Coordinates of all heavy atoms in Angstrom, one line a residue:
L1 N -3.8 47.4 -96.2 CA -3.3 47.3 -94.8 C -1.9 46.7 -94.8 O -1.6 45.6 -94.1 CB -4.3 46.5 -93.9 CG -5.6 47.1 -93.7 CD1 -6.4 46.2 -92.8 CD2 -5.5 48.5 -93.1
G2 N -1.0 47.3 -95.5 CA 0.4 46.8 -95.5 C 0.7 45.7 -96.5 O 0.0 45.6 -97.5
V3 N 1.7 44.9 -96.3 CA 2.1 43.9 -97.2 C 1.1 42.8 -97.3 O 0.1 42.7 -96.5 CB 3.5 43.3 -96.8 CG1 4.6 44.3 -96.8 CG2 3.3 42.6 -95.4
N4 N 1.1 42.0 -98.4 CA 0.2 41.0 -98.7 C 0.2 39.9 -97.6 O 1.1 39.8 -96.8 CB 0.4 40.3 -100.0 CG 1.7 39.6 -100.2 OD1 1.9 38.6 -99.5 ND2 2.6 40.1 -101.0
A5 N -0.9 39.1 -97.5 CA -1.0 38.2 -96.4 C 0.1 37.2 -96.2 O 0.6 36.9 -95.1 CB -2.4 37.4 -96.6
Q6 N 0.6 36.7 -97.3 CA 1.7 35.7 -97.3 C 3.0 36.4 -96.7 O 3.6 35.8 -95.8 CB 2.1 35.1 -98.7 CG 3.2 34.1 -98.7 CD 3.6 33.7 -100.1 OE1 3.6 34.5 -101.0 NE2 4.0 32.5 -100.2
F7 N 3.3 37.5 -97.2 CA 4.5 38.3 -96.7 C 4.3 38.6 -95.2 O 5.2 38.5 -94.4 CB 4.6 39.6 -97.6 CG 5.9 40.3 -97.5 CD1 6.2 41.3 -98.5 CD2 6.8 40.0 -96.6 CE1 7.4 42.0 -98.5 CE2 8.1 40.6 -96.6 CZ 8.3 41.7 -97.5
F8 N 3.1 39.1 -94.8 CA 2.9 39.4 -93.4 C 3.1 38.2 -92.5 O 3.7 38.4 -91.5 CB 1.4 40.0 -93.3 CG 1.1 40.3 -91.9 CD1 1.7 41.4 -91.2 CD2 0.0 39.7 -91.3 CE1 1.4 41.7 -89.9 CE2 -0.4 40.0 -90.0 CZ 0.4 41.0 -89.3
E9 N 2.5 37.1 -92.9 CA 2.6 35.9 -92.0 C 4.1 35.5 -91.8 O 4.5 35.1 -90.7 CB 1.7 34.8 -92.5 CG 0.2 35.0 -92.4 CD -0.2 35.3 -91.0 OE1 0.4 34.7 -90.0 OE2 -1.1 36.2 -90.8
I10 N 4.8 35.6 -92.9 CA 6.2 35.2 -92.9 C 7.0 36.2 -92.0 O 7.8 35.8 -91.2 CB 6.9 35.2 -94.3 CG1 6.2 34.0 -95.1 CG2 8.4 35.0 -94.2 CD1 6.6 34.0 -96.5
A11 N 6.7 37.5 -92.1 CA 7.3 38.5 -91.3 C 7.0 38.3 -89.8 O 8.0 38.4 -89.0 CB 6.9 39.9 -91.8
K12 N 5.8 38.0 -89.5 CA 5.4 37.7 -88.1 C 6.1 36.5 -87.6 O 6.7 36.5 -86.5 CB 3.9 37.5 -88.0 CG 3.0 38.7 -88.2 CD 3.0 39.6 -86.9 CE 2.3 38.9 -85.8 NZ 2.1 39.8 -84.6
G13 N 6.2 35.5 -88.4 CA 6.9 34.3 -88.0 C 8.4 34.4 -87.8 O 9.0 33.8 -87.0
T14 N 8.9 35.4 -88.5 CA 10.4 35.6 -88.5 C 10.7 36.5 -87.3 O 11.8 36.5 -86.8 CB 10.9 36.3 -89.7 OG1 10.5 35.5 -90.9 CG2 12.4 36.4 -89.7
G15 N 9.7 37.2 -86.8 CA 9.9 38.1 -85.6 C 10.4 39.5 -85.9 O 11.0 40.1 -85.0
V16 N 10.2 40.0 -87.1 CA 10.6 41.3 -87.4 C 9.7 42.3 -86.7 O 8.6 42.0 -86.3 CB 10.5 41.6 -89.0 CG1 11.3 40.6 -89.7 CG2 9.1 41.6 -89.5
R17 N 10.2 43.5 -86.5 CA 9.5 44.6 -86.0 C 8.8 45.4 -87.1 O 9.4 45.5 -88.2 CB 10.4 45.6 -85.2 CG 11.0 44.9 -84.0 CD 11.8 46.0 -83.2 NE 12.9 46.5 -84.0 CZ 13.2 47.8 -84.2 NH1 12.4 48.7 -83.6 NH2 14.2 48.2 -84.9
F18 N 7.6 45.8 -86.8 CA 6.8 46.6 -87.8 C 6.8 48.1 -87.5 O 6.8 48.5 -86.4 CB 5.4 46.0 -87.9 CG 5.3 44.6 -88.4 CD1 5.1 43.6 -87.5 CD2 5.3 44.3 -89.7 CE1 5.0 42.3 -87.9 CE2 5.1 43.1 -90.2 CZ 5.0 42.0 -89.3
S19 N 6.7 48.8 -88.6 CA 6.3 50.3 -88.5 C 5.0 50.4 -89.2 O 4.7 49.6 -90.1 CB 7.4 51.2 -89.0 OG 7.4 51.1 -90.5
T20 N 4.3 51.4 -88.9 CA 3.0 51.7 -89.6 C 3.1 53.1 -90.2 O 3.5 54.0 -89.6 CB 1.8 51.6 -88.7 OG1 2.1 52.5 -87.6 CG2 1.6 50.2 -88.2
G21 N 2.6 53.2 -91.5 CA 2.7 54.5 -92.1 C 1.6 54.7 -93.2 O 1.4 53.7 -94.0
S22 N 1.0 55.8 -93.2 CA -0.1 56.1 -94.2 C 0.4 56.5 -95.6 O -0.3 56.3 -96.6 CB -1.0 57.2 -93.7 OG -0.3 58.4 -93.6
D23 N 1.7 56.9 -95.7 CA 2.3 57.4 -96.9 C 1.4 58.6 -97.4 O 1.3 58.8 -98.6 CB 2.3 56.3 -98.0 CG 3.5 56.5 -99.0 OD1 4.0 57.6 -99.1 OD2 3.8 55.5 -99.7
A24 N 0.9 59.4 -96.4 CA 0.0 60.5 -96.8 C 0.9 61.5 -97.5 O 2.0 61.9 -97.2 CB -0.5 61.1 -95.5
H25 N 0.3 62.1 -98.6 CA 0.8 63.2 -99.3 C 0.0 64.5 -99.2 O 0.2 65.5 -99.8 CB 1.0 62.9 -100.8 CG 2.1 62.0 -101.1 ND1 2.2 60.6 -100.6 CD2 3.3 62.2 -101.7 CE1 3.4 60.1 -101.1 NE2 4.0 61.0 -101.7
C26 N -1.0 64.4 -98.3 CA -1.9 65.5 -98.0 C -2.3 65.4 -96.6 O -2.4 64.3 -96.0 CB -3.1 65.6 -98.9 SG -4.2 64.2 -98.9
V27 N -2.7 66.5 -96.0 CA -3.1 66.5 -94.5 C -4.3 65.5 -94.3 O -4.4 64.9 -93.3 CB -3.6 67.9 -94.2 CG1 -4.1 68.0 -92.7 CG2 -2.3 68.8 -94.2
E28 N -5.2 65.5 -95.2 CA -6.4 64.7 -95.1 C -6.1 63.2 -94.8 O -7.0 62.5 -94.2 CB -7.4 64.8 -96.3 CG -8.0 66.2 -96.4 CD -7.0 67.3 -96.9 OE1 -6.0 67.0 -97.5 OE2 -7.3 68.5 -96.7
D29 N -5.0 62.7 -95.3 CA -4.7 61.3 -95.3 C -3.9 60.9 -94.1 O -3.5 59.7 -93.9 CB -4.0 60.8 -96.6 CG -4.9 60.7 -97.7 OD1 -6.2 60.6 -97.5 OD2 -4.5 60.8 -98.9
V30 N -3.5 61.8 -93.2 CA -2.7 61.5 -92.1 C -3.5 60.5 -91.2 O -4.7 60.7 -90.9 CB -2.4 62.8 -91.3 CG1 -1.8 62.4 -89.9 CG2 -1.4 63.7 -92.0
G31 N -2.9 59.5 -90.8 CA -3.5 58.5 -90.0 C -4.5 57.5 -90.6 O -5.1 56.7 -90.0
K32 N -4.5 57.6 -91.9 CA -5.5 56.8 -92.7 C -5.2 55.3 -92.5 O -4.1 54.8 -92.7 CB -5.4 57.1 -94.2 CG -6.4 56.3 -95.0 CD -6.3 56.8 -96.5 CE -7.2 56.0 -97.4 NZ -7.1 56.5 -98.8
H33 N -6.1 54.6 -91.9 CA -6.0 53.1 -91.7 C -5.0 52.7 -90.6 O -4.7 51.5 -90.6 CB -5.9 52.3 -93.0 CG -6.9 52.5 -94.0 ND1 -8.3 52.4 -93.7 CD2 -6.9 52.8 -95.4 CE1 -9.0 52.6 -94.8 NE2 -8.2 52.9 -95.8

């Protein structure tokens, strides 16, 4: 679910904007998690 917990908490605290992406390489993985 994205970057590791330490990285994520620092990012949240810094106020960065997030994007979300499955990195799907096939149709079946679109929207995964």
Side-chain angles (χ1 to χ4, degrees):
L1 294 182
V3 297
N4 64 67
Q6 182 189 32
F7 198 165
F8 177 64
E9 290 303 323
I10 292 170
K12 287 283 289 187
T14 307
V16 302
R17 295 183 298 129
F18 293 98
S19 72
T20 53
S22 65
D23 211 341
H25 283 66
C26 61
V27 173
E28 293 75 18
D29 286 340
V30 170
K32 183 178 180 180
H33 299 314

